[in-house]
Amino acid sequence: MTGVIVTDPPRADAAGVAALAGFGVATVHEALGRTGSLGPGLRPIQQGVRVSGTAVTVLCWPGDNLMIHAAVEQCRDGDVLVVTTTSPSTDGMFGELFATALGRRGVRGLVIDAGVRDTAELRAMGFPVWSAAVCAQGTVKATAGSVNVPVVVGGQVIRPGDAVLADDDGVMCVPRDLVATAVKAAEARTAKEEAARAAFAAGELGLDRYGLRETLARLGVRYVTAEEYEREGTAL
């Protein structure tokens, strides 16, 4: 595997990336037409934390964290480190020493499609992590990889400088040229949800607010009494 370290990738607008943190992953994902999710395999080691930042991407050999060391140098304030491997790995590739170095550089968190360790220390430090595994198994530093190249996590292509948003619901990526669009769409969806929340609190049903009675009728769903159900032997 031949490696490359790209030192100057373009990054998404910092103000737009910061604005994304005002919305949850679920909201932005829905607002963008249910796109960008990195899937259910990445879970937070902490709760109640949301971060947004620009991606510094790392492609490692399984069980080898050499390129994470190389990536630290390329990180700057407002970044999120995104790590994956050339084939599946659950080894603990990242721990509190890496977090100490990244925290010094203003990195907002880690997304890794592999394993982490030192989770208690990471939580105590307040360094947010989303990972595919937690594993005490360590790694070597022997094989070349790449930094700041496009990577694929959960079927989603992440380019260096793309916006990454993560919270208790998971992780998503917003292409760097769509950040402003994502913010506007999320604002509109939030306003729509606030109106629906008020309506539901007042007693309105989703069936009526969203016109779903017509959908049920179109699909042939009938309302029957319990007596009619027993008499007709209707199958569920």
Side-chain angles (χ1 to χ4, degrees):
M1 176 178 171
T2 301
V4 62
I5 298 172
V6 180
T7 61
D8 57 347
R11 283 171 165 85
D13 174 68
V17 174
L20 283 176
F23 310 99
V25 168
T27 295
V28 179
H29 176 247
E30 292 285 349
L32 287 179
R34 294 188 292 176
T35 62
S37 171
L38 305 192
L42 297 174
R43 301 306 305 150
I45 66 165
Q46 66 286 310
Q47 293 294 308
V49 175
R50 180 186 297 155
V51 301
S52 64
T54 43
V56 170
T57 61
V58 189
L59 182 62
C60 293
W61 198 264
D64 192 313
N65 68 2
L66 172 64
M67 300 313 295
I68 300 179
H69 284 277
V72 172
E73 184 180 28
Q74 303 306 317
C75 290
R76 68 189 195 193
D77 186 44
D79 285 336
V80 170
L81 193 66
V82 179
V83 180
T84 189
T85 52
T86 56
S87 61
S89 175
T90 57
D91 292 337
M93 301 178 67
F94 185 100
E96 57 100 5
L97 293 179
F98 270 138
T100 299
L102 291 175
R104 176 67 178 79
R105 303 180 79 86
V107 173
R108 293 176 178 169
L110 169 75
V111 173
I112 180 168
D113 193 18
V116 296
R117 57 186 186 176
D118 302 336
T119 54
E121 289 82 358
L122 291 169
R123 285 190 291 271
M125 295 170 64
F127 188 86
V129 171
W130 288 258
S131 71
V134 173
C135 182
Q137 173 69 39
T139 59
V140 300
K141 302 165 181 59
T143 312
S146 294
V147 175
N148 279 332
V149 298
V151 297
V152 177
V153 177
Q156 179 73 31
V157 176
I158 305 168
R159 301 173 301 163
D162 282 349
V164 175
L165 178 65
D167 62 17
D168 288 347
D169 290 335
V171 185
M172 71 170 296
C173 175
V174 178
R176 55 183 180 248
D177 55 346
L178 289 181
V179 168
T181 298
V183 171
K184 290 181 180 179
E187 289 172 342
R189 182 168 182 84
T190 297
K192 180 179 179 181
E193 289 178 346
E194 288 175 350
R197 187 177 299 109
F200 295 154
E204 186 176 1
L205 296 176
L207 284 173
D208 298 313
R209 185 168 186 83
Y210 302 136
L212 298 179
R213 295 189 190 280
E214 292 82 358
T215 300
L216 292 175
R218 176 171 53 81
L219 294 174
V221 178
R222 296 186 299 130
Y223 286 84
V224 297
T225 66
E227 180 181 352
E228 290 170 333
Y229 180 79
E230 292 295 331
R231 184 173 63 246
E232 297 176 11
T234 305
L236 286 175

